[in-house]
Amino acid sequence: DLTSEINTVRSELEFKTAQATQLEGEKGQLEAANSEHVAKIENIQVAYKNLEARSKAMEQNERVLEKQIEELREQLRASDDLGTQLKDKNDALIQLEGSLREKDQELEEIHNQSGDVVRQWQDRASELEATTKDLEAELE
């Protein structure tokens, strides 16, 4: 009776030992799988942090690009304003050149007329001189 009880207890003990060994093996497998999962999670966390850093860098780059775009727009507006001013000044210069040509023609006409007037005065002076000589001759 006692022997059979001891044998039963031994069998149960062997069964429990085998179960414990099997459970330890499963535990080792679960720990290995858990370690793999932890490593994957850590890799994912690193990748996520890298993505966050890239995202922040891209946001910063976007702000810099937006600022540069606005500066370029301002430069373009200033360039357009300068272009308009240049066109206005060019138009004014063309008008001044036309006025200058007209004034030059008027001056040339005045110069030509003054030459005629000088000749007329010279002719009259010659005539007066001749008349004066005639009168002097008559008076003598």
Side-chain angles (χ1 to χ4, degrees):
D1 217 15
L2 190 56
T3 306
S4 98
E5 204 174 308
I6 290 175
N7 285 337
T8 304
V9 170
R10 274 190 190 153
S11 292
E12 285 179 22
L13 184 61
E14 287 174 4
F15 179 73
K16 297 282 182 190
T17 303
Q19 271 186 333
T21 303
Q22 183 181 355
L23 288 174
E24 281 184 31
E26 289 176 8
K27 178 185 171 192
Q29 289 173 351
L30 289 173
E31 286 176 347
N34 187 43
S35 293
E36 287 179 25
H37 288 290
V38 167
K40 287 179 182 179
I41 289 171
E42 288 173 352
N43 288 340
I44 290 171
Q45 287 174 336
V46 168
Y48 181 77
K49 287 179 182 177
N50 287 341
L51 285 174
E52 279 183 329
R54 282 185 190 167
S55 177
K56 287 179 183 177
M58 288 174 71
E59 287 172 3
Q60 179 66 26
N61 286 343
E62 184 178 350
R63 285 191 292 274
V64 168
L65 287 173
E66 285 173 355
K67 185 178 178 183
Q68 289 175 346
I69 287 170
E70 186 55 37
E71 289 172 357
L72 288 172
R73 284 182 180 150
E74 288 174 16
Q75 290 176 0
L76 182 60
R77 282 190 290 271
S79 177
D80 287 346
D81 291 345
L82 287 175
T84 300
Q85 290 176 6
L86 182 61
K87 184 185 177 306
D88 292 345
K89 289 181 180 182
N90 191 43
D91 291 345
L93 182 61
I94 289 170
Q95 288 176 347
L96 286 174
E97 286 175 346
S99 296
L100 183 60
R101 275 191 226 103
E102 289 175 8
K103 295 296 179 189
D104 194 38
Q105 287 174 351
E106 288 175 15
L107 184 60
E108 190 175 326
E109 287 176 18
I110 291 171
H111 178 71
N112 289 340
Q113 289 173 359
S114 69
D116 291 343
V117 169
V118 167
R119 278 190 293 279
Q120 289 172 2
W121 279 104
Q122 286 174 345
D123 291 346
R124 288 184 97 186
S126 295
E127 288 173 8
L128 285 172
E129 209 174 293
T131 304
T132 305
K133 285 184 182 176
D134 287 343
L135 287 174
E136 285 176 353
E138 283 179 23
L139 285 174
E140 287 179 11

